[in-house]
Amino acid sequence: MTAAIVGWAHSPFGRHESETVESLVVGVARGALAHAGIEAADVDEIYLGHFNAGFSAQDFTASLVLQADPALRFKRATRVENACATGSAAVHQGVRAIAAGAARVVLVVGVEKMTDTPGPQIGQNLLRASYLAEEGDIPAGFAGVFGRITEAYFQRFGDQSDALAAIAAKNHRNGVANPFAQMRKDLGYDFCRTESEKNPRVAGPLKRTDCSLVSDGAAAIVLADMPTALGMERAVAIRAASHVQDFLPMSRRDIVRFEGCGEAWTRALADARLTLDDLDLVETHDCFTIAELIEYEAMGLAAPGRGADVIRDGHSALGGRLPINPSGGLKSKGHPIGATGVSMHALCAMQLTGQAGDMQVKDAELAGLFNMGGTAVANYVSILQAVR
């Protein structure tokens, strides 16, 4: 363990017409430094996770973090991007900077401003995270890509619409307790399972309740080396941080297996000298409900094709064997691309320090998170443990 989270800040996710990328970044950067009790002058390095891909006219955004405090001027600042795993990519870069001895304190910010973009353009922007040479003409954008994955899974293992609806209902139920969530409404299983005017089919078997939300939002964490962290008010150690990159074309992989996700979990657990049974909760990347279902299998909770058992038997519910997405996940919380991975780290840190409020998993000591970019192309797993 070389680095720990010592402070964080999280904006509400949703539609924020009065906010800009800059104002979102500045707000959480100031909040995280204040929460950590660290002066801006003591920050050695800054990483900003910002996917953009056309959502914001302002590009080259790393230096916007400096607007949070004049003392950040002349600090090293780098923008990081790895599709929907952009936030975790930024966090892991911060961890590596500390492990290399290049920094003692790192400020990591994730941000996205998506809702100003017209709907068709949103789909085009997100589709850029697929392999355009083969997948660029799939209708319905990235939802269409995951619609294809869902169809392939159903063809191999049978119709799993009941399981997808149960995952959606679980995450919306959990999201009611999350003050940062975009949609704090318990929709219920029947609504999620039934195609209707309010829950229309979007792509393949996927309905609206199977798809994460278009969101604005930001989150920030402050990382410190362990000697520094142990002298502070709180310290949530990054016990393991694993990154696995897979082929971009779906045609080069067994797309219903998420092998990169599985490999990232295997490496992280080995590095942490833990098993899944040791974890008290997981935040996982449910950009679509089929993703969470396949991730159950990839992380080792179920055999291939048996992910539905996890949700049916209540293993992933609050109070179950391993609560998955007690925050409500991307499905309820929202998915501002660059902020998502940073948000996951902040939420897990809240859980492990007993500061998760109504979301709190009782006696949580170890948390895992999985953040992916594209169709399980960029795969990041972090395992966190409170040490102070």
Side-chain angles (χ1 to χ4, degrees), residues 192-206:
C192 295
R193 180 64 180 87
T194 305
E195 185 177 345
S196 65
E197 184 178 343
K198 292 185 177 180
N199 190 26
R201 192 172 294 265
V202 174
L206 298 177

Side-chain angles (χ1 to χ4, degrees), residues 7-258:
W8 56 80
H10 200 301
S11 80
F13 286 179
R15 184 178 183 89
H16 300 299
E17 296 179 357
S18 63
E19 297 275 14
T20 63
V21 168
E22 180 178 341
S23 66
L24 287 165
V25 165
V26 167
V28 295
R30 288 175 176 166
L33 289 171
H35 188 242
I38 284 181
E39 297 294 329
D42 293 328
V43 172
D44 298 307
E45 190 134 14
I46 298 164
Y47 289 100
L48 174 70
H50 183 208
F51 176 61
N52 199 12
F55 286 115
S56 168
Q58 177 66 63
D59 217 326
F60 187 43
T61 44
S63 287
L64 292 180
V65 185
L66 276 58
Q67 311 288 71
D69 193 297
L72 294 175
R73 190 182 184 193
F74 303 135
K75 305 289 186 182
R76 300 188 298 272
T78 306
R79 175 184 158 197
V80 179
E81 185 278 314
N82 213 357
C84 298
T86 287
S88 287
V91 173
H92 284 212
Q93 286 299 106
V95 171
R96 288 190 181 91
I98 290 172
R104 183 178 64 90
V105 176
V106 177
L107 174 60
V108 182
V109 181
V111 69
E112 214 70 58
K113 184 77 170 71
M114 302 173 69
T115 65
D116 291 342
T117 303
Q121 185 62 46
I122 290 172
Q124 292 176 22
N125 290 353
L126 295 176
L127 195 59
R128 295 175 187 177
S130 66
Y131 185 54
L132 293 179
E134 295 177 0
E135 301 153 18
D137 293 330
I138 293 177
F142 219 60
V145 171
F146 272 85
R148 293 272 181 95
I149 294 170
T150 308
E151 289 172 339
Y153 189 95
F154 285 13
Q155 287 170 4
R156 187 177 302 182
F157 300 117
D159 190 320
Q160 304 295 325
S161 296
D162 291 350
L164 299 189
I167 289 170
K170 168 185 70 73
N171 289 344
H172 279 292
R173 183 170 61 251
N174 290 352
V176 172
N178 185 351
F180 308 110
Q182 182 169 351
M183 184 180 290
R184 301 181 67 184
K185 186 176 182 180
D186 185 354
L187 298 178
Y189 172 81
D190 290 340
F191 180 84
C192 295
R193 180 64 180 87
T194 305
E195 185 177 345
S196 65
E197 184 178 343
K198 292 185 177 180
N199 190 26
R201 192 172 294 265
V202 174
L206 298 177
K207 298 182 287 296
R208 181 175 291 166
T209 49
D210 293 304
C211 307
S212 59
L213 304 163
V214 174
S215 316
D216 306 331
I221 62 172
V222 178
L223 296 169
D225 64 4
M226 289 306 297
T228 301
L230 291 175
M232 303 189 71
E233 182 178 343
R234 68 192 65 81
V236 178
I238 310 288
R239 186 158 169 173
S242 175
H243 169 207
V244 170
Q245 201 81 3
D246 207 343
F247 292 122
L248 184 59
M250 291 194 293
S251 62
R252 297 198 63 175
R253 299 175 280 134
D254 183 349
I255 197 55
V256 303
R257 290 187 59 195
F258 285 15

Side-chain angles (χ1 to χ4, degrees), residues 166 170 173-174 296 301 307-324:
K170 168 185 70 73
R173 183 170 61 251
N174 290 352
Y296 291 163
L301 282 177
D309 296 347
V310 176
I311 187 69
R312 186 190 62 240
D313 296 341
H315 292 326
S316 58
L318 291 175
R321 167 185 166 194
L322 181 61
I324 305 286

Side-chain angles (χ1 to χ4, degrees), residues 145 276 298 320 323 356 384:
V145 171
L276 275 181
L384 280 59

